[in-house]
Amino acid sequence: MLSLLQIELFKISRRPRTYIAFAAITAIVLIFQFAFKADGQSYMNLMLQNVQDNFELDRSKAINGYFMCYIILNTLLVQVPILVALIAGDAISGEANMGTLRLIMTKPVSRTQLIMVKFFASFLFTVFLLIWMAVMALFISLFIFGADDMLIFRVKGDESQILQITKDDVLWRYFAAFGYAAVALTVIASLGILLSVFAENSIGPIVATVCIVIFFTIVSNINVPIIDKNVKPWLFTSYLVGWKGFFYIGTDVDGQPIKGSIENWAAIRNSLYILMAHIAIFLGIAIYSFRKKDILS
Amino acid sequence: MIKRIIHVVVVLMVFHQIGFAQDINMLVSNARKKLDKVSDYEASGKMKTNVAFLKIPVANIKLYFKKPGKLKLKSEKGVSFVPKGAMSINLNNLFSGNDFTIIDAGTDKVDNINVRVAKLLPNDDNSDMVLTTLYIDPTNSLIVKSKTTTKENGTYELKMKYGQFAEYGLPDKILFSFNTKDYKLPKGITFDFDDGTSNKAATKSEKPKKGEAEILLSKYIINKGISDDVFK
C-alpha cells in the first residue's frame, strides 16, 4: 500500500499540471501582497465605511500579515478547489486515457486499494498545496507586513461587526483553519475521484468537478431566504468557508473578545462532520462503482 | 406703598441675579484654576470601548497633554479604535481661549452630587463647538460632567470621577459618550461562514446611536515636560 502510494505521488510529481496549482497560488498571493502594499488603504476604507467618521484607526497597523493572510485565503479558497480538481479528476480517468488502468489491474492490487491510494495521494497533494499557501499567504505576508492585532469584518445576520483578535491569539487559529481547509478540500478531491471513475479521459471529470464547485458556491452565496433555509444546508460548498469560524472570536456580555475562544465551536464541529460524511459518501460510491466497472481501456 | 414694595422686589431680584452670575463665573474660574496648574501630563490607563458593532478588547493606553491644547491618545500596543471626539476628554481644551460667554443654567444632580450647571457659548461664530454644558461640583470646584455639541462631530458627553489628582482637576475615570452611525457592510462581500446564529438588527432607524468609552487612568506624570514629537 505504501509503495503504491509512493508510486502515485511520484506520478503526480512528474506531471507538469501539478505545478500549475503551486504557480497559480504563488502568482495570486504575490499580486495581492503587491496591491495591498501599494494601496491597502482603499480596501480598508471600503470595509470601515462610516466607522471612520467616529473613530481614528492606524490603518498601517491594521493592514498586517495576519489580516493579509485572511484576505488572501478568502479569495484563494474559492479557487483552490479548482486546483485540487485538476489532480483528483485525473486520478482514474487519466490512467484509463493512457491505457494503463487495465495494466494496473493485472497486478495484485485490489480496486478498493487503488481508489484509496489515489485518494490518499490527492489528499497529500491538497495538504502540500495548503502548506504552500500557508508559507506564501501567512509567513511571507508576516515578513512583508509584520504582525499585529487582526481585524475581521463580518456580516452576521442583519448586523455587520468588526472583531479584533490580539496578535498573540491569532496563529493557532490559522493552524486550525488550515486543518479545516484540508478536510474541506479533501471533499473536492473525493468528488473528483468519484467523477473520474466514470470517465475515460481527464477533461470530463475535471471540468465536471469544477462546474459543480462553481455552481454550488454561487448558490451558497446567494442571499435568498428560501435558498438559505432549504438548499444551502444540503450543499457541501456552504461548509467550505467554515474555517472562518475559528476567527469568529467569542465575546462576553460587554462585547469584549475573550482570548482563546471561538464563538460557535459546535457549528464548526458539525460542519466538519458534514464534510467528512461527504468524503465517506463520495469515496464509498467511487469504490462501489469502480468495483462494478468493466475496465475496457 | 405697593409701588415701594415692587421697587424693593425688583432691586432684590436684580442683585440676586448679579450675585448668581458672579457665582457661576467664579465656579468656572475656580475649576479652571485647578486645570491651569497643569502645563503637561502623561497618563497611563485602560480604555474599554462599548459600541454595538465593535468587538474589541480593552486597550492599554497612554494619554499625553501639553498646553495650550495638544492631546494625544495612543494605544500602547496593537490596533486601536480611538473615538474622534477624544480631544474633548481633556477639559483644558474646553477652556483654550477665553472667547466664550458663561450662562448660569441652575442646579442639577450627577451621581448624587449636587452640581451647578454652566453653559459655555463660544463668541467666535467659526468655532466648531456650538455649546458646552458643564456640571460643576461647587464643594470641590471640579467638573463632574460635561456635554459638548460640535458642528462636525455631534455631541460628546463626559462623566468624570476624581481621586488622587483632584487638586489638578485630573480625573481617574472618564466615561466618554459619543454618537455613532450604523455600520453596515453589503451582504456577500465578506463570504461569511453561516454558523446558524444570526443577529437581527435592533432598529433600522437612521438615528444616531450611542457609543461609550470608559477610560481608567491610574498614573499621571504631571509637569515633567513632554516632547512635541509625541503629538505627531
Side-chain angles (χ1 to χ4, degrees):
Chain A
M1 186 83 169
L2 195 64
S3 56
L4 266 179
L5 185 61
Q6 281 173 334
I7 293 166
E8 209 48 54
L9 288 173
F10 177 76
K11 280 197 280 187
I12 288 175
S13 70
R14 300 295 292 175
R15 274 186 220 131
R17 84 174 64 159
T18 302
Y19 301 99
I20 292 173
F22 290 91
I25 285 172
T26 308
I28 293 168
V29 171
L30 289 176
I31 285 168
F32 262 92
Q33 286 164 340
F34 170 75
F36 271 77
K37 194 74 184 168
D39 189 24
Q41 309 282 339
S42 302
Y43 179 83
M44 204 41 106
N45 290 342
L46 171 76
M47 299 311 279
L48 286 170
Q49 298 196 355
N50 50 22
V51 175
Q52 301 169 94
D53 297 343
N54 299 112
F55 293 92
E56 282 171 18
L57 173 73
D58 189 346
R59 288 174 180 73
S60 59
K61 274 187 172 180
I63 301 169
N64 56 61
Y66 290 134
F67 178 74
M68 276 307 302
C69 184
Y70 190 82
I71 299 294
I72 293 168
L73 291 190
N74 218 358
T75 318
L76 268 183
L77 287 182
V78 179
Q79 293 145 7
V80 170
I82 298 168
L83 304 175
V84 172
L86 275 177
I87 297 301
D90 184 54
I92 302 293
S93 58
E95 302 282 2
N97 190 33
M98 288 190 293
T100 49
L101 190 57
R102 206 161 31 170
L103 187 70
I104 296 169
M105 288 296 97
T106 59
K107 304 284 177 194
V109 176
S110 75
R111 294 188 179 197
T112 306
Q113 264 184 322
L114 185 71
I115 291 283
M116 288 310 289
V117 162
K118 295 280 184 189
F119 169 73
F120 280 122
S122 301
F123 170 73
L124 285 174
F125 169 77
T126 304
V127 170
F128 284 129
L129 212 55
L130 282 167
I131 291 170
W132 185 241
M133 273 173 67
V135 169
M136 290 301 297
L138 182 58
F139 296 110
I140 301 288
S141 291
L142 282 172
F143 177 72
I144 296 171
F145 296 92
D148 216 314
D149 294 353
M150 184 176 167
L151 295 181
I152 304 289
F153 298 95
R154 176 193 186 192
V155 178
K156 185 185 180 190
D158 293 338
E159 280 186 0
S160 300
Q161 295 178 340
I162 300 173
L163 312 175
Q164 185 177 340
I165 308 172
T166 51
K167 69 176 173 186
D168 55 349
D169 191 27
V170 178
L171 204 56
W172 73 268
R173 294 175 193 275
Y174 272 115
F175 288 126
F178 277 111
Y180 184 100
V183 177
L185 291 174
T186 306
V187 176
I188 314 291
S190 53
L191 175 66
I193 288 169
L194 168 62
L195 296 176
S196 172
V197 168
F198 301 106
E200 300 296 316
N201 65 70
S202 307
I203 304 297
I206 290 172
V207 172
T209 309
V210 169
C211 288
I212 288 169
V213 171
I214 290 173
F215 178 71
F216 281 11
T217 303
I218 290 169
V219 176
S220 298
N221 285 289
I222 290 175
N223 289 300
V224 178
I226 196 164
I227 293 178
D228 286 349
K229 271 190 178 176
N230 302 311
V231 181
K232 284 184 186 177
W234 302 100
L235 303 179
F236 65 87
T237 44
S238 303
Y239 307 99
L240 293 184
V241 288
W243 62 272
K244 289 188 169 186
F246 290 104
F247 295 92
Y248 298 160
I249 189 168
T251 53
D252 62 17
V253 285
D254 293 333
Q256 309 292 315
I258 303 163
K259 198 174 161 184
S261 71
I262 295 168
E263 186 188 67
N264 195 345
W265 162 244
I268 299 171
R269 188 194 57 211
N270 292 342
S271 297
L272 275 170
Y273 288 157
I274 291 166
L275 291 173
M276 287 192 277
H278 273 87
I279 295 169
I281 291 166
F282 289 155
L283 215 55
I285 298 171
I287 291 168
Y288 177 80
S289 307
F290 192 56
R291 284 166 67 108
K292 298 273 175 193
K293 186 181 164 121
D294 272 344
I295 298 170
L296 305 168
S297 54
Chain B
M1 182 65 182
I2 292 168
K3 237 182 172 180
R4 203 173 266 176
I5 291 168
I6 291 168
H7 185 77
V8 169
V9 168
V10 168
V11 168
L12 280 174
M13 278 177 69
V14 167
F15 273 100
H16 178 75
Q17 279 296 331
I18 291 167
F20 226 84
Q22 280 175 340
D23 191 27
I24 197 71
N25 277 312
M26 186 71 79
L27 263 178
V28 172
S29 172
N30 287 344
R32 192 177 173 177
K33 270 180 197 162
K34 287 195 170 189
L35 296 167
D36 280 343
K37 289 183 197 168
V38 181
S39 302
D40 58 72
Y41 68 76
E42 178 189 326
S44 323
K46 289 181 185 295
M47 181 170 74
K48 183 175 160 185
T49 310
N50 186 9
V51 178
F53 59 81
L54 274 182
K55 311 289 178 194
I56 57 176
V58 174
N60 290 317
I61 54 150
K62 284 232 182 221
L63 187 62
Y64 299 93
F65 167 75
K66 189 172 184 179
K67 270 187 176 174
K70 286 181 181 170
L71 186 91
K72 187 85 182 176
L73 198 156
K74 278 184 182 175
S75 179
E76 282 193 60
K77 58 175 185 175
V79 177
S80 62
F81 287 83
V82 178
K84 274 201 170 162
M87 279 298 281
S88 67
I89 63 174
N90 183 60
L91 295 169
N92 302 57
N93 288 357
L94 290 177
F95 298 117
S96 58
N98 289 306
D99 206 13
F100 49 77
T101 305
I102 301 168
I103 298 171
D104 190 338
T107 59
D108 203 341
K109 263 195 167 186
V110 177
D111 295 335
N112 284 327
I113 301 170
N114 291 315
V115 292
R116 292 288 305 277
V117 184
K119 290 192 184 286
L120 271 59
L121 285 166
N123 296 329
D124 181 4
D125 289 342
N126 298 319
S127 166
D128 183 45
M129 184 182 93
V130 177
L131 172 73
T132 294
T133 308
L134 299 178
Y135 299 76
I136 304 171
D137 171 6
T139 320
N140 301 306
S141 300
L142 290 169
I143 299 165
V144 291
K145 183 177 163 184
S146 81
K147 208 184 265 185
T148 304
T149 304
T150 62
K151 283 178 191 164
E152 298 288 331
N153 298 309
T155 301
Y156 304 114
E157 191 178 301
L158 292 173
K159 268 187 170 183
M160 275 81 55
K161 289 218 163 112
Y162 294 86
Q164 53 178 327
F165 298 97
E167 61 171 310
Y168 295 100
L170 296 174
D172 286 357
K173 182 180 173 183
I174 305 169
L175 191 65
F176 174 54
S177 308
F178 48 93
N179 294 332
T180 59
K181 291 175 187 165
D182 255 346
Y183 176 61
K184 203 148 184 68
L185 287 169
K187 273 190 175 177
I189 195 172
T190 46
F191 293 105
D192 289 295
F193 171 51
D194 183 4
D195 59 9
T197 57
S198 65
N199 280 12
K200 293 276 174 204
T203 54
K204 296 233 175 203
S205 71
E206 292 299 313
K207 283 181 185 171
K209 293 177 176 176
K210 281 277 177 194
E212 276 184 356
E214 189 182 306
I215 302 169
L216 295 168
L217 297 164
S218 54
K219 193 179 155 194
Y220 280 97
I221 301 167
I222 302 166
N223 296 337
K224 298 285 181 197
I226 291 176
S227 162
D228 284 335
D229 295 340
V230 172
F231 302 95
K232 283 176 185 167

Short mmCIF file of all heavy atoms in Angstrom, two decimals, chain A residues 109-133:
data_model
loop_
_atom_site.label_atom_id
_atom_site.label_comp_id
_atom_site.label_asym_id
_atom_site.label_seq_id
_atom_site.Cartn_x
_atom_site.Cartn_y
_atom_site.Cartn_z
N VAL A 109 -3.31 -5.91 -7.02
CA VAL A 109 -3.80 -4.73 -6.30
C VAL A 109 -5.32 -4.70 -6.42
O VAL A 109 -5.85 -4.77 -7.53
CB VAL A 109 -3.23 -3.42 -6.92
CG1 VAL A 109 -3.81 -2.21 -6.22
CG2 VAL A 109 -1.72 -3.42 -6.87
N SER A 110 -5.99 -4.65 -5.27
CA SER A 110 -7.46 -4.62 -5.34
C SER A 110 -7.93 -3.26 -5.84
O SER A 110 -7.22 -2.25 -5.73
CB SER A 110 -8.05 -4.93 -3.99
OG SER A 110 -7.92 -3.81 -3.14
N ARG A 111 -9.15 -3.25 -6.35
CA ARG A 111 -9.70 -1.99 -6.86
C ARG A 111 -9.91 -0.98 -5.72
O ARG A 111 -9.70 0.22 -5.89
CB ARG A 111 -11.03 -2.26 -7.58
CG ARG A 111 -10.82 -3.08 -8.84
CD ARG A 111 -12.09 -3.19 -9.64
NE ARG A 111 -11.85 -3.96 -10.85
CZ ARG A 111 -12.65 -3.97 -11.89
NH1 ARG A 111 -13.76 -3.24 -11.89
NH2 ARG A 111 -12.37 -4.70 -12.96
N THR A 112 -10.33 -1.50 -4.58
CA THR A 112 -10.51 -0.63 -3.40
C THR A 112 -9.18 0.01 -3.02
O THR A 112 -9.10 1.21 -2.76
CB THR A 112 -11.05 -1.45 -2.21
OG1 THR A 112 -12.21 -2.14 -2.64
CG2 THR A 112 -11.36 -0.58 -1.01
N GLN A 113 -8.13 -0.85 -3.03
CA GLN A 113 -6.79 -0.35 -2.70
C GLN A 113 -6.39 0.78 -3.66
O GLN A 113 -5.87 1.81 -3.23
CB GLN A 113 -5.77 -1.47 -2.81
CG GLN A 113 -5.48 -2.16 -1.48
CD GLN A 113 -4.40 -3.21 -1.67
OE1 GLN A 113 -4.35 -3.92 -2.70
NE2 GLN A 113 -3.54 -3.34 -0.68
N LEU A 114 -6.67 0.56 -4.94
CA LEU A 114 -6.27 1.55 -5.94
C LEU A 114 -6.99 2.88 -5.70
O LEU A 114 -6.36 3.95 -5.72
CB LEU A 114 -6.57 1.05 -7.36
CG LEU A 114 -6.07 1.99 -8.45
CD1 LEU A 114 -4.56 1.98 -8.55
CD2 LEU A 114 -6.69 1.65 -9.80
N ILE A 115 -8.29 2.80 -5.44
CA ILE A 115 -9.06 4.04 -5.17
C ILE A 115 -8.52 4.72 -3.91
O ILE A 115 -8.32 5.95 -3.89
CB ILE A 115 -10.57 3.72 -4.99
CG1 ILE A 115 -11.19 3.28 -6.31
CG2 ILE A 115 -11.32 4.93 -4.43
CD1 ILE A 115 -11.48 4.38 -7.31
N MET A 116 -8.25 3.92 -2.88
CA MET A 116 -7.76 4.50 -1.62
C MET A 116 -6.39 5.17 -1.81
O MET A 116 -6.13 6.24 -1.25
CB MET A 116 -7.66 3.43 -0.52
CG MET A 116 -9.01 2.95 0.00
SD MET A 116 -10.13 4.27 0.48
CE MET A 116 -9.35 4.90 1.95
N VAL A 117 -5.56 4.53 -2.59
CA VAL A 117 -4.23 5.11 -2.86
C VAL A 117 -4.36 6.41 -3.63
O VAL A 117 -3.70 7.41 -3.32
CB VAL A 117 -3.35 4.09 -3.63
CG1 VAL A 117 -2.18 4.78 -4.29
CG2 VAL A 117 -2.84 3.02 -2.67
N LYS A 118 -5.24 6.38 -4.64
CA LYS A 118 -5.49 7.61 -5.41
C LYS A 118 -6.02 8.71 -4.49
O LYS A 118 -5.65 9.88 -4.62
CB LYS A 118 -6.51 7.34 -6.53
CG LYS A 118 -6.04 6.37 -7.60
CD LYS A 118 -5.14 7.07 -8.59
CE LYS A 118 -4.75 6.12 -9.73
NZ LYS A 118 -3.70 6.72 -10.58
N PHE A 119 -6.90 8.32 -3.58
CA PHE A 119 -7.48 9.28 -2.63
C PHE A 119 -6.41 9.85 -1.71
O PHE A 119 -6.32 11.08 -1.54
CB PHE A 119 -8.58 8.59 -1.81
CG PHE A 119 -9.05 9.42 -0.64
CD1 PHE A 119 -9.84 10.54 -0.82
CD2 PHE A 119 -8.68 9.08 0.66
CE1 PHE A 119 -10.25 11.31 0.26
CE2 PHE A 119 -9.09 9.84 1.74
CZ PHE A 119 -9.88 10.96 1.54
N PHE A 120 -5.57 9.00 -1.14
CA PHE A 120 -4.52 9.47 -0.22
C PHE A 120 -3.51 10.36 -0.96
O PHE A 120 -3.02 11.35 -0.41
CB PHE A 120 -3.80 8.31 0.46
CG PHE A 120 -4.57 7.75 1.62
CD1 PHE A 120 -4.95 6.41 1.63
CD2 PHE A 120 -4.95 8.56 2.68
CE1 PHE A 120 -5.68 5.90 2.70
CE2 PHE A 120 -5.68 8.06 3.75
CZ PHE A 120 -6.05 6.71 3.76
N ALA A 121 -3.24 10.00 -2.21
CA ALA A 121 -2.31 10.81 -3.00
C ALA A 121 -2.90 12.21 -3.24
O ALA A 121 -2.21 13.23 -3.09
CB ALA A 121 -2.01 10.13 -4.32
N SER A 122 -4.20 12.24 -3.57
CA SER A 122 -4.87 13.53 -3.78
C SER A 122 -4.93 14.32 -2.47
O SER A 122 -4.76 15.55 -2.47
CB SER A 122 -6.30 13.32 -4.28
OG SER A 122 -6.28 12.61 -5.48
N PHE A 123 -5.15 13.60 -1.37
CA PHE A 123 -5.19 14.26 -0.05
C PHE A 123 -3.83 14.88 0.27
O PHE A 123 -3.76 16.04 0.71
CB PHE A 123 -5.58 13.23 1.02
CG PHE A 123 -5.43 13.73 2.43
CD1 PHE A 123 -6.32 14.67 2.95
CD2 PHE A 123 -4.39 13.29 3.23
CE1 PHE A 123 -6.17 15.14 4.24
CE2 PHE A 123 -4.24 13.77 4.53
CZ PHE A 123 -5.13 14.69 5.03
N LEU A 124 -2.76 14.11 0.00
CA LEU A 124 -1.41 14.64 0.29
C LEU A 124 -1.10 15.84 -0.60
O LEU A 124 -0.48 16.81 -0.16
CB LEU A 124 -0.36 13.55 0.12
CG LEU A 124 -0.33 12.51 1.25
CD1 LEU A 124 0.65 11.38 0.92
CD2 LEU A 124 0.06 13.15 2.58
N PHE A 125 -1.55 15.77 -1.86
CA PHE A 125 -1.36 16.91 -2.77
C PHE A 125 -2.07 18.15 -2.18
O PHE A 125 -1.50 19.24 -2.16
CB PHE A 125 -1.94 16.58 -4.14
CG PHE A 125 -2.02 17.76 -5.06
CD1 PHE A 125 -0.90 18.27 -5.69
CD2 PHE A 125 -3.25 18.39 -5.29
CE1 PHE A 125 -0.98 19.38 -6.52
CE2 PHE A 125 -3.34 19.49 -6.12
CZ PHE A 125 -2.20 19.98 -6.74
N THR A 126 -3.29 17.93 -1.68
CA THR A 126 -4.07 19.03 -1.07
C THR A 126 -3.32 19.60 0.13
O THR A 126 -3.24 20.83 0.30
CB THR A 126 -5.45 18.50 -0.61
OG1 THR A 126 -6.08 17.92 -1.74
CG2 THR A 126 -6.31 19.60 -0.05
N VAL A 127 -2.76 18.72 0.95
CA VAL A 127 -2.02 19.18 2.14
C VAL A 127 -0.79 19.99 1.73
O VAL A 127 -0.53 21.07 2.29
CB VAL A 127 -1.63 17.97 3.03
CG1 VAL A 127 -0.66 18.40 4.14
CG2 VAL A 127 -2.87 17.34 3.65
N PHE A 128 -0.06 19.49 0.72
CA PHE A 128 1.12 20.23 0.25
C PHE A 128 0.72 21.60 -0.29
O PHE A 128 1.40 22.60 -0.07
CB PHE A 128 1.87 19.44 -0.83
CG PHE A 128 2.69 18.30 -0.27
CD1 PHE A 128 2.56 17.02 -0.78
CD2 PHE A 128 3.57 18.50 0.78
CE1 PHE A 128 3.30 15.96 -0.26
CE2 PHE A 128 4.32 17.46 1.31
CZ PHE A 128 4.19 16.18 0.79
N LEU A 129 -0.42 21.62 -0.99
CA LEU A 129 -0.92 22.88 -1.54
C LEU A 129 -1.24 23.87 -0.40
O LEU A 129 -0.91 25.06 -0.49
CB LEU A 129 -2.19 22.58 -2.34
CG LEU A 129 -2.50 23.46 -3.56
CD1 LEU A 129 -1.35 23.48 -4.55
CD2 LEU A 129 -3.78 22.99 -4.24
N LEU A 130 -1.84 23.35 0.65
CA LEU A 130 -2.18 24.21 1.80
C LEU A 130 -0.93 24.68 2.54
O LEU A 130 -0.88 25.82 3.01
CB LEU A 130 -3.11 23.46 2.76
CG LEU A 130 -4.57 23.39 2.30
CD1 LEU A 130 -5.35 22.39 3.13
CD2 LEU A 130 -5.24 24.76 2.38
N ILE A 131 0.05 23.78 2.62
CA ILE A 131 1.32 24.19 3.27
C ILE A 131 1.96 25.32 2.46
O ILE A 131 2.43 26.32 3.02
CB ILE A 131 2.28 22.99 3.43
CG1 ILE A 131 1.72 22.01 4.46
CG2 ILE A 131 3.68 23.45 3.83
CD1 ILE A 131 2.44 20.67 4.53
N TRP A 132 1.91 25.18 1.14
CA TRP A 132 2.47 26.22 0.27
C TRP A 132 1.70 27.54 0.45
O TRP A 132 2.28 28.62 0.50
CB TRP A 132 2.44 25.76 -1.18
CG TRP A 132 3.09 26.72 -2.14
CD1 TRP A 132 2.52 27.38 -3.18
CD2 TRP A 132 4.46 27.15 -2.12
NE1 TRP A 132 3.43 28.18 -3.81
CE2 TRP A 132 4.63 28.07 -3.17
CE3 TRP A 132 5.55 26.85 -1.31
CZ2 TRP A 132 5.85 28.68 -3.44
CZ3 TRP A 132 6.78 27.48 -1.57
CH2 TRP A 132 6.91 28.37 -2.63
N MET A 133 0.37 27.40 0.56
CA MET A 133 -0.46 28.59 0.81
C MET A 133 -0.10 29.25 2.13
O MET A 133 -0.04 30.48 2.24
CB MET A 133 -1.95 28.20 0.85
CG MET A 133 -2.60 28.20 -0.50
SD MET A 133 -4.27 27.56 -0.42
CE MET A 133 -5.05 28.80 0.51
#
